[in-house]
Amino acid sequence: MRVGDIYETRIDAMGASGEGVCRPEGFALFVRGAVEGDLARVRVTKLNKSYGFAALLEIVEPSKSRVEPQCSSFGVCGGCAMLNIGYEKQLEIKERIVRDALERVGGFSEPDVFPIVPSVPNTHYRNKAQYPITPRGAGFFMRASHNVVSAQNCALQDIVSAAVLNVTEEYMKKFGVMPYDEKSGDGIVRHVCTRSGKSDTIVVIVTNTSVLPYEHEFVKALTERLGTRLCGVVQNINKERTNVVFGKRDKLLFGRRFIMDNIGKINYKISYKSFYQVNPHTTLPLYEKVLELAAPRGETVFDLYCGCGTISLFLARAAREVIGVEIVPSAVKDAAENAYINNITNVRFYEGAAEEIVPQIISDKPCGVVVLDPPRRGCDKSLLDCVVNATPKRIVYVSCNSATLARDVRVLCDGGYTLKEVHPFDQFPHTMHVETVVLLSKGEIDSKKVRVEFSLENMDMSGFQKDATYGQIKERVLEQTGLKVSSLYIAQIKQKHGIIERENYNKSKSDNTKQPKCPPEKEKAITEALRYFGMV
């Protein structure tokens, strides 16, 4: 194979950045704009040792998964890599991304990946926006450049964000307020940002100057457009020659510097700099899953990278105590206030980098559960070592980056933990990102094998047999038959017997979705296990 060679080939997979993958002559080529299932003509543009890149020349036969993108900037803007792929296919691809990362990066064999939880709706879901304002326009940066494309018909941002961008552009044009030029350092407005809750929206305008010209007119225009939804307008001042969005100083122009929102029964105050999940439609089931897997049962929980306390307060309902660690000062302040707002007294928050703070505090308390929710780069190795040394019974890891998730989970498992369950959530529809929650449990107690011998003959097993977990059922099947069974297969057989615990395990997300059916020999083994545990 040489650069310039042309092939007619089938696209048989999707790459992590949204490129189609084909394998002419058995060699992997990444093709931007191609979709899994396409029959395409491609031209080789670059070759590396084990893979290469190709340009899409022609779609000879389009994939059945292809759809018309809902945005005129698709393919130019780098935000929505899968907007031209049907949603059900996107979910299938994302499940595969998580599984492949665990297998290839983490070295896990047949990881127990549950069906992905979809986002309903899957468009206009983002409650946060950051629009760069430049002399060449306002919107989003093009892929791999600092040029911008229009964001007016973005399929991901909520309609409130689009309205704020319109108001900002109209205000700047009317009053001659110049955009910031990163090359010369001249101009005033650098970004306009929004953050919304169910009924609140805060607007942050980032400027290169201490004074925002005609600030009252800007606030008035926003108030007229958004009405009572507008809860605050902040001018953030950033005079640095940097691509960091926010500066260290800000000035309140109207209302307050935060929004109020709720997830389930917990109310939250969220400052504009604090981390907050961007898709409200999947956040509640995501946090409920974290609570279910953590199962604190009156134990002490360490919530690392806790943000404004969203997960911490969820866990506090069942934990003896929750200790949160977060590096962003405003988020720590919000977390403490959120605990006060909800009258939750069994939480404490520490400010600082988790890898620096945790070693100082985790050894002072018996640690039952650790929750990790790091940024995309994952956890520092020293922090993972510290967690392993603390020997919590369970670790729940929440991640939006499958590769760093797999890398870190491997470190934890090498330290004596076992990967139990993997739950993907489509927190970012139409992008290649997947939010994933995994459960790890400790296989042994302080490396000491404890042998206990007793008789089950005269014991009443019914009290706990009804609560047999998926893991217990799998272990029983493996022990008795040597067969490995998935959670999906167990869910199917439980449904046959009228046992329906979690609907998304048992039924597909659409009538057209094909899920593998449990083979007869595994059905027989699972049924025997259900009988053993007194469930049927």
Side-chain angles (χ1 to χ4, degrees), residues 139-202:
F140 294 123
F141 285 123
M142 293 181 183
R143 184 180 63 250
S145 83
H146 270 209
N147 296 323
V148 297
V149 295
S150 172
Q152 292 300 334
N153 61 344
C154 177
L156 304 195
Q157 296 295 343
D158 62 19
I159 59 175
V160 178
S161 299
V164 169
L165 181 59
N166 282 334
V167 169
T168 304
E169 291 183 301
E170 291 168 1
Y171 145 79
M172 293 177 65
K173 182 177 180 181
K174 181 176 181 179
F175 295 102
V177 179
M178 300 302 295
Y180 174 71
D181 187 335
E182 63 181 1
K183 292 183 179 179
S184 67
D186 298 329
I188 296 176
V189 180
R190 301 173 68 130
H191 284 81
V192 63
C193 309
T194 65
R195 166 160 279 172
S196 296
K198 294 177 179 65
S199 59
D200 282 357
T201 294
I202 186 171

Side-chain angles (χ1 to χ4, degrees), residues 128 130 193 195 202 204 206 234 236-238 244-250 257-259 270-276 307-308 326 328-332 334:
K128 175 186 176 182
Q130 294 181 346
C193 309
R195 166 160 279 172
I202 186 171
V204 182
V206 184
V234 175
N236 178 273
I237 300 164
N238 185 358
V244 175
V245 174
F246 295 125
K248 295 180 180 179
R249 293 191 297 133
D250 64 31
R257 289 179 170 85
F258 58 88
I259 65 168
I270 303 106
S271 300
Y272 71 88
K273 287 185 179 179
S274 296
F275 171 79
Y276 194 53
C308 58
E326 172 58 47
V328 178
S330 61
V332 176
D334 285 351

Side-chain angles (χ1 to χ4, degrees), residues 131-427:
Y131 299 111
I133 311 294
T134 77
R136 296 167 297 283
F140 294 123
F141 285 123
M142 293 181 183
R143 184 180 63 250
S145 83
H146 270 209
N147 296 323
V148 297
V149 295
S150 172
Q152 292 300 334
N153 61 344
C154 177
L156 304 195
Q157 296 295 343
D158 62 19
I159 59 175
V160 178
S161 299
V164 169
L165 181 59
N166 282 334
V167 169
T168 304
E169 291 183 301
E170 291 168 1
Y171 145 79
M172 293 177 65
K173 182 177 180 181
K174 181 176 181 179
F175 295 102
V177 179
M178 300 302 295
Y180 174 71
D181 187 335
E182 63 181 1
K183 292 183 179 179
S184 67
D186 298 329
I188 296 176
V189 180
R190 301 173 68 130
H191 284 81
V192 63
C193 309
T194 65
R195 166 160 279 172
S196 296
K198 294 177 179 65
S199 59
D200 282 357
T201 294
I202 186 171
V203 176
V204 182
I205 186 166
V206 184
T207 65
N208 186 45
T209 56
S210 299
V211 176
L212 176 66
Y214 301 96
E215 64 180 52
H216 297 295
E217 286 76 6
F218 179 57
V219 172
K220 181 181 178 182
L222 287 170
T223 304
E224 290 175 350
R225 187 69 62 91
L226 301 187
T228 57
R229 167 169 275 281
L230 183 70
C231 68
V233 182
V234 175
Q235 177 194 357
N236 178 273
I237 300 164
N238 185 358
K239 298 182 181 182
E240 302 295 324
R241 299 290 291 269
T242 175
N243 58 5
V244 175
V245 174
F246 295 125
K248 295 180 180 179
R249 293 191 297 133
D250 64 31
K251 180 167 65 173
L252 185 64
L253 305 183
F254 167 79
R256 58 182 190 254
R257 289 179 170 85
F258 58 88
I259 65 168
M260 295 299 301
D261 201 16
N262 69 284
I263 303 173
K265 296 181 180 179
I266 308 293
N267 297 311
Y268 296 100
K269 169 188 173 182
I270 303 106
S271 300
Y272 71 88
K273 287 185 179 179
S274 296
F275 171 79
Y276 194 53
Q277 294 286 353
V278 299
N279 186 344
H281 310 299
T282 52
T283 297
L284 179 58
L286 173 71
Y287 285 3
E288 287 177 337
K289 179 58 64 178
V290 172
L291 176 60
E292 175 193 330
L293 298 181
R297 303 188 191 97
E299 298 164 302
T300 296
V301 180
F302 281 79
D303 180 17
L304 311 184
Y305 309 96
C306 69
C308 58
T310 48
I311 292 179
S312 297
L313 301 184
F314 246 74
L315 297 172
R317 295 177 293 175
R320 184 176 73 85
E321 180 184 24
V322 178
I323 297 172
V325 179
E326 172 58 47
I327 196 171
V328 178
S330 61
V332 176
K333 182 180 177 182
D334 285 351
E337 291 191 33
N338 287 333
Y340 176 79
I341 290 168
N342 291 279
N343 194 29
I344 295 174
T345 59
N346 61 334
V347 294
R348 286 191 295 156
F349 298 99
Y350 292 82
E351 178 187 329
E355 56 269 22
E356 297 174 3
I357 295 292
V358 173
Q360 302 173 29
I361 61 176
I362 202 167
S363 60
D364 296 335
K365 289 181 174 291
C367 177
V369 183
V370 168
V371 175
L372 299 166
D373 188 6
R376 286 188 57 79
R377 67 178 180 273
C379 296
D380 187 274
K381 176 63 164 55
S382 62
L383 175 64
L384 296 176
D385 291 340
C386 179
V387 169
V388 168
N389 291 334
T391 64
K393 297 176 185 175
R394 293 172 300 285
I395 301 172
V396 179
Y397 195 128
V398 185
S399 174
C400 62
N401 185 327
S402 300
T404 55
L405 167 71
R407 178 200 68 197
D408 291 352
V409 169
R410 169 44 61 195
V411 173
L412 294 169
C413 288
D414 288 346
Y417 285 83
T418 301
L419 177 60
K420 290 293 188 180
E421 297 182 16
V422 182
H423 296 267
F425 288 77
D426 193 22
Q427 195 81 337

